[in-house]
């Protein structure tokens, strides 16, 4: 019977590979990083995933936690076991973090703000004239310019109000 191909080749040490880097890479694959800081702090590497989550009071399988009740003709009183939560601080921290209001850090670019302010200062509400302006590089239609101005109003209502007040004052003086 013939031998398997490649079995009779002599083993050679690969000097090119960095063993330390290889070991770190394998360790990362074996135990992936837990993103949630509260769970990561309370995690015990010696226990299974299900045991760790049960200690924290979290569900490892949502289908088991909240099963769909089947309609039975005869109801039998069943004993429901209460789960003991050993690490309740994890749930409390997660709930506290979830209850915080979400802060949106979205903003408009400086070029966009300058463009919209110039258009408002120059043409006020005349969108057709804005569309014909030389600074309308992207050849926006009057409707597109109107939408851009509305988005500026949404993002910076106080600045828009100040700009409008300044324009009104300028009109009254002239």
């Amino acid at each position: 019977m013939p031998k398997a191909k490649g079995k009779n080749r002599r083993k050679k040490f690969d000097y090119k590979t960095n063993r330390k880097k290889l070991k770190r890479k394998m360790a990362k694959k074996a135990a992936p990083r837990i993103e949630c800081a509260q769970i990561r702090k309370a995690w015990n590497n010696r226990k299974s995933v299900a045991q760790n989550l049960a200690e924290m009071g979290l569900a490892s399988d949502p289908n088991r936690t909240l099963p769909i009740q089947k309609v039975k003709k005869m109801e039998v009183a069943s004993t429901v076991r209460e789960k003991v939560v050993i690490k309740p601080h994890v749930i409390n921290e997660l709930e506290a973090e979830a209850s915080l209001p979400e802060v949106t850090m979205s903003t408009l670019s400086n070029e966009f703000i300058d463009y919209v302010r110039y258009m408002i200062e120059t043409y006020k509400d005349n969108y057709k004239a804005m569309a014909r302006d030389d600074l309308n590089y992207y050849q926006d239609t009057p409707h597109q310019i109107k939408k851009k101005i509305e988005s500026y109003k949404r993002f910076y209502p106080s600045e828009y109000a100040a700009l409008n007040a300044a324009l009104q004052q300028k009109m009254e003086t002239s």
Side-chain angles (χ1 to χ4, degrees), residues 3-150:
K3 282 186 178 179
K5 192 174 182 181
K7 285 287 180 188
N8 55 359
R9 193 172 2 133
R10 190 173 73 97
K11 301 269 192 265
K12 295 180 215 165
F13 186 78
D14 190 9
Y15 290 97
K16 294 181 287 197
T17 57
N18 185 348
R19 295 283 164 191
K20 194 175 189 181
K21 198 176 193 181
L22 202 69
K23 186 178 176 185
R24 278 195 199 131
K25 191 188 247 183
M26 295 306 286
K28 245 186 195 176
K29 275 188 183 177
R33 179 172 166 74
I34 299 169
E35 292 296 321
C36 181
Q38 294 88 350
I39 295 175
R40 191 179 338 116
K41 273 194 277 182
W43 196 264
N44 185 354
N45 286 326
R46 294 179 186 267
K47 294 185 179 177
S48 69
V49 174
Q51 287 173 336
N52 270 310
L53 292 175
E55 279 185 359
M56 293 177 216
L58 301 173
S60 60
D61 185 10
N63 295 325
R64 276 194 186 162
T65 309
L66 300 169
I68 299 171
Q69 298 293 325
K70 293 182 181 176
V71 179
K72 293 183 179 178
K73 291 183 182 177
M74 269 184 24
E75 291 185 23
V76 179
S78 61
T79 58
V80 180
R81 262 186 7 176
E82 288 293 321
K83 291 188 178 179
V84 179
V85 179
I86 297 170
K87 300 175 183 175
H89 62 89
V90 176
I91 293 176
N92 297 336
E93 289 173 8
L94 288 172
E95 286 175 351
E97 186 181 323
S99 67
L100 293 173
E102 187 177 335
V103 178
T104 55
M105 297 302 289
S106 57
T107 181
L108 301 174
S109 70
N110 290 335
E111 294 173 4
F112 183 89
I113 293 169
D114 294 341
Y115 170 75
V116 170
R117 286 182 67 99
Y118 165 77
M119 291 297 189
I120 293 171
E121 288 169 358
T122 312
Y123 300 107
K124 284 116 184 129
D125 291 334
N126 190 353
Y127 299 112
K128 287 183 179 179
M130 290 181 195
R132 289 191 300 268
D133 191 85
D134 290 338
L135 285 183
N136 184 8
Y137 300 127
Y138 298 110
Q139 297 182 348
D140 294 329
T141 62
H143 189 68
Q144 289 172 323
I145 294 171
K146 186 176 182 180
K147 280 186 176 179
K148 285 184 178 183
I149 291 172
E150 286 171 1

